[in-house]
Amino acid sequence: MGRSRRKGRVIDGILLLDKPAGITSNGALQRVKHLFGAAKAGHTGSLDPIATGVLPICFGEATKFSQFLLDADKGYIATIQLGVRTTTGDSEGDIVHERSVPELSDEAIESCLDSFRGEIDQIPSMYSAIKLNGQPLYKLARQGIEVERQPRRVTIMTLTLLERTHDQWVLNITCTKGTYVRSLAEDIGELIGCGAHVVGLRRRQAGPFAIEETCTLEKLEDLKAENGERALDETLLPVSAAVADYPVIEMTELTASYFVQGQPVQIAGVKEEGLVSVYSEAMENKIFVGVGEILDDGKIAPRRLIAT
């Protein structure tokens, strides 16, 4: 028997979803995939159920480039509750202990936050999605099993206080991939000496994408109800948007033909280094062909290619 065909529409592009609170990232993905009737889709980095905000969802060819969004910097607005520590580091967990919150001056708060700016080592929560022998840590945690976790080096580029009361802080955070805001909140609480956990988290930025560009599930549902399934395609960004913040390299159609066959190619005058977004100059249009990496000899080698 032949292989069965994938069910659903073949769609290529990126949807910027404003994930609502109360559902997992996978739950949001499945709802979006169903709305679009898409054959293939995936999200680019989990948000906890309590979290809202930017969740890029890749369709079709865009799934090839999801890793670049996973690797991108992220931005958050986090509300942390001081004086209470929970099992999960957020408001979904059980309370482990409660302590009084000390009176802190503006200078003391700034000194505390400054301790976490720049490169830091962070021990991931047992309730993270990091896998041990193929099993997510959170599944072990729910069985009452705790294992040793190795510290991870992350970078906090921005950590500023937006608002505060005696026992709550609202923080603006910009950080590298792999940063756990729950762990950051817990570490801040321990430094103060009272414990802390996250009670609100909104992702405002994911790589080149900002919260202002997102669509809600409700908007998508209304658009489909009014105009049909295919009207949803108008909400999609092109596949190239996944690497919109990469330097752009343009190739002639002939050079691009070698590049898409997997061959490193020489481009005169290339000054960038690292990963680049590659376009082919076809007729009067520029066609996105994939992501390349500039090698030490100046050639550009293909790293991820779009199907042509």
Side-chain angles (χ1 to χ4, degrees), residues 84-294:
V84 180
R85 189 163 178 250
T86 69
T87 52
T88 59
D90 61 23
S91 55
E92 291 201 314
D94 298 326
I95 294 175
V96 175
H97 61 238
E98 298 183 61
R99 286 180 276 185
S100 60
V101 180
E103 293 291 342
L104 297 169
S105 65
D106 292 342
E107 292 77 12
I109 293 174
E110 176 60 22
S111 177
C112 171
L113 295 179
D114 195 50
S115 301
F116 297 98
R117 296 183 182 123
E119 288 191 353
I120 63 171
D121 287 324
Q122 191 179 70
I123 297 177
S125 166
M126 272 301 300
Y127 283 84
S128 69
I130 294 174
K131 292 184 178 180
L132 177 68
N133 299 325
Q135 189 166 23
L137 290 181
Y138 64 80
K139 289 191 175 181
L140 297 176
R142 289 169 183 165
Q143 299 171 39
I145 301 171
E146 182 165 354
V147 298
E148 183 178 355
R149 286 96 66 204
Q150 294 301 315
R152 295 177 133 198
R153 179 59 59 97
V154 298
T155 302
I156 310 293
M157 289 83 79
T158 303
L159 182 59
T160 55
L161 184 68
L162 299 179
E163 302 173 29
R164 75 171 173 115
T165 62
H166 175 65
D167 62 352
Q168 277 196 357
W169 293 358
V170 180
L171 301 172
N172 179 34
I173 304 165
T174 306
C175 53
T176 54
K177 69 167 185 175
T179 302
Y180 285 93
V181 177
R182 285 176 296 167
S183 296
L184 177 62
E186 290 181 314
D187 291 343
I188 288 173
E190 289 307 304
L191 183 59
I192 296 171
C194 63
H197 69 282
V198 174
V199 293
L201 185 64
R202 184 157 179 78
R203 186 190 279 166
R204 57 173 178 76
Q205 192 87 26
F209 305 132
I211 190 66
E212 293 78 12
E213 304 172 79
T214 58
C215 291
T216 63
L217 284 172
E218 289 76 12
K219 179 180 177 180
L220 294 172
E221 289 167 349
D222 290 345
L223 184 60
K224 181 176 180 179
E226 293 172 7
N227 301 294
E229 188 177 77
R230 293 187 180 275
L232 296 175
D233 297 356
E234 298 174 5
T235 65
L236 299 181
L237 298 175
V239 175
S240 59
V243 289
D245 52 353
Y246 284 24
V248 172
I249 296 293
E250 296 177 6
M251 299 179 179
T252 65
E253 194 168 5
L254 177 61
T255 302
S257 69
Y258 291 106
F259 181 79
V260 298
Q261 291 175 39
Q263 300 180 34
V265 297
Q266 191 80 52
I267 302 292
V270 171
K271 298 180 180 179
E272 289 85 0
E273 57 183 22
L275 298 175
V276 291
S277 180
V278 178
Y279 288 78
S280 170
E281 298 174 340
M283 304 295 287
E284 295 181 358
N285 297 320
K286 296 174 184 176
I287 300 173
F288 177 66
V289 295
V291 170
E293 183 176 10
I294 299 178

Side-chain angles (χ1 to χ4, degrees), residues 24-41:
T24 65
S25 292
N26 187 60
L29 166 65
Q30 296 307 321
R31 286 180 63 178
V32 167
K33 187 178 178 182
H34 177 73
L35 279 170
F36 277 78
K40 183 178 182 182

